[in-house]
Amino acid sequence: MTSDERSDFIRDIIEQDVEEGRYDGRVHTRFPPEPNGYLHIGHAKAISINFGIAEDFDGLCNLRMDDTDPTKEEWEYVEAVKRDISWLGYDWGDRFFFASDYFEQLYQWAVELIKKGKAYVDDLSPEQISAYRGDFTTPGRESPYRDRSIEENLDLFERMRAGEFAEGERVLRAKIDMSSPNMNMRDPVMYRILHESHYKQGEDWCIYPTYDWTHGQSDSIEGVTHSLCSLEFEDHRPLYNWFLEALEIYHPRQIEFARLNLSHTVMSKRYLLQLVEEGYVDGWDDPRMPTISGMRRRGFPASAIRAFLDEIGVAKAESLIDMDMLEHFVRDELNRSAPRVMAVMDPLKVVIQNYPEDQTDVFEVDINPEDPESGKRKVPFSRVLYIERGDFREDPPKKFQRLAPGREVRLKRAYLITCEDVVKDEHGEIVELRCTYDPETKGGVTPDGRYVRTLHWVSSEHALDVEVRLYDRLFTKADMGDLPEGTGYGDYLNPDSLRLTTAKAEPSLAEAQPGDRFQFYRKSYVCVDPDSTGDRLIFNRTLPLRSTWAKIAQRMKQ
């Protein structure tokens, strides 16, 4: 392993295999998504395990599309998978495969099992097959077609491939043990008839292999040594082994790990697709989605996601990880890397009465104080400014330290100002503050060392009008895998998961490009959305600077 060793039960197993010379000391993993949706943060964990272990042991990792269901798979999803894995920083080299390219070999192996008396064509309907399987307390019953002759099975299977039968009319099943305590071993279906065009194979097939039949044999074809799967495949491992042993072909080793379950979200492509199709979100890459593409669009750095995955490690037992933990790593990374800019989200006009009307000062401000090498940016200052409405109180409470009548504040890196007058409209709403500035405090310094609160600001003359999409968690309930009876996902949708607003931003943002990340000083981390155009900048709120959810949760416990 590499010098910065990570240790977990999977790496311990593989390290022992290497030391014992199993698979000639090779380590070869694979990540096998089904191209029926976009990858989510749970897949990112599987990606980091498979590619990370291959890296640690100087091995290889394949990317393979397990594309056995033509009714749900599309090229769009294939390209999205590749894009997401590359963005996370992993490389499959020249090892990009499709299980559908193995269809002919899988068919020939199925014929071989029929000839060995270990597979048969069944005429039971899907409903009958389910009923015959029994349950966890009742053994299954053998199909009346289980003892067909090898010759009849070969003939029927060939005719299934030729398209002679209707969908659901016949299936090919493995002949294993209908009384097995493991339901997966009760003569599982290997092939079903689907008169559907395949996105890659076209019209070549009308019978399609099941995932269980395809998975292990694809691993074998590719020379995979360690097939690393999430925990729900643990009960499928005996079947994985049975197929490989019955065929007497190269046999990889399957090892299972716990899935990533993240609070305030769902980790099922089926339900994520439902959110998309029913219009709860604006597509797979909606920044509220737990998809990798959604997190990228929201502004989560790939490095922060990888650091989070490294921290939670690899476990055998399922658990629920708080979203706050992932957000902590995002904030930590963005605090170090995101340029600071000033943007006023709820503008209140400020007129500095003793500042010359035709004068403009330009101040140099740190791009990122956490990174001295990032340099400075130039910010213009003029007589009319905007500050946050919440930074002023006409009748301030005792602990309020920002601007108020007769009170002085510092405008970041500019001047100290004092509020002299308040202008209201006919409804009594404050529309303008009349202030004076202290010319001796240029650059925000105080010659006498007096302390005042610092506010951010934007020059009215130079301000950019930008759109800000304020994203928050999609669900209000932490554990979306434990819903009370009679409720569904729709009952826990957060009505404030997206709010739209406009802001006045400093002119340095005019050159910002989609994907660029910033910190709106004192407010939030943001990312430029791909919907932005040359004359319309759109920012997605990645996260507030501090977690409000943690405070809410703490109050609820009290």
Side-chain angles (χ1 to χ4, degrees), residues 229-279:
C229 307
S230 49
L231 204 56
E232 66 263 32
F233 290 99
E234 184 175 27
D235 289 342
H236 295 249
R237 191 191 332 144
L239 180 57
Y240 180 98
N241 293 333
W242 188 90
F243 280 135
L244 294 169
E245 291 163 4
L247 290 169
E248 300 179 88
I249 59 177
Y250 169 81
H251 195 324
R253 179 177 188 175
Q254 180 173 309
I255 307 171
E256 303 85 19
F257 56 86
R259 294 182 303 176
L260 170 59
N261 297 305
L262 198 62
S263 72
H264 300 95
T265 191
V266 295
M267 292 292 175
S268 162
K269 280 194 286 188
R270 180 163 62 93
Y271 291 121
L272 294 178
L273 177 61
Q274 182 179 337
L275 290 172
V276 173
E277 291 182 336
E278 296 182 6

Side-chain angles (χ1 to χ4, degrees), residues 261-422:
N261 297 305
L262 198 62
S263 72
H264 300 95
T265 191
V266 295
M267 292 292 175
S268 162
K269 280 194 286 188
R270 180 163 62 93
Y271 291 121
L272 294 178
L273 177 61
Q274 182 179 337
L275 290 172
V276 173
E277 291 182 336
E278 296 182 6
Y280 292 113
V281 294
D282 297 323
W284 285 96
D285 66 343
D286 187 299
R288 293 167 290 181
M289 290 279 271
T291 55
I292 298 172
S293 58
M295 291 183 172
R296 177 171 63 249
R297 186 172 182 179
R298 186 159 171 172
F300 283 29
S303 55
I305 294 175
R306 290 183 62 160
F308 162 72
L309 295 171
D310 284 344
E311 177 65 23
I312 64 174
V314 184
K316 294 182 180 180
E318 299 280 2
S319 62
L320 183 67
I321 306 297
D322 199 304
M323 178 71 80
D324 273 329
M325 186 174 180
L326 171 58
E327 293 176 352
H328 162 76
F329 282 93
V330 173
R331 287 189 179 95
D332 186 60
E333 170 62 28
L334 291 177
N335 182 53
R336 292 194 302 267
S337 62
R340 274 53 166 172
V341 294
M342 292 191 286
V344 177
M345 308 290 287
D346 187 9
L348 176 60
K349 185 178 179 181
V350 173
V351 178
I352 305 176
Q353 294 176 299
N354 63 332
Y355 189 89
E357 291 189 25
D358 58 352
Q359 181 173 318
T360 298
D361 280 318
V362 177
F363 294 101
E364 288 195 338
V365 185
D366 292 334
I367 291 176
N368 185 344
E370 299 292 323
D371 178 14
E373 301 298 320
S374 63
K376 308 278 187 180
R377 71 185 192 279
K378 294 182 178 181
V379 181
F381 181 93
S382 61
R383 187 171 188 266
V384 182
L385 310 169
Y386 294 110
I387 66 168
E388 294 287 352
R389 186 171 294 274
D391 282 339
F392 174 79
R393 292 285 183 90
E394 187 176 18
D395 185 17
K398 185 176 181 180
K399 294 186 178 180
F400 187 78
Q401 298 179 4
R402 285 162 278 178
L403 192 60
R407 184 177 293 180
E408 187 179 52
V409 296
R410 175 187 290 105
L411 298 180
K412 184 174 177 63
R413 297 298 186 196
Y415 293 102
L416 272 64
I417 64 170
T418 302
C419 179
E420 306 292 350
D421 194 15
V422 178

Side-chain angles (χ1 to χ4, degrees), residues 533-548:
T533 61
D535 57 355
R536 178 171 172 257
L537 271 176
I538 302 170
F539 290 89
N540 298 327
R541 182 175 70 179
T542 305
L543 292 171
L545 294 189
R546 293 174 181 82
S547 171
T548 56

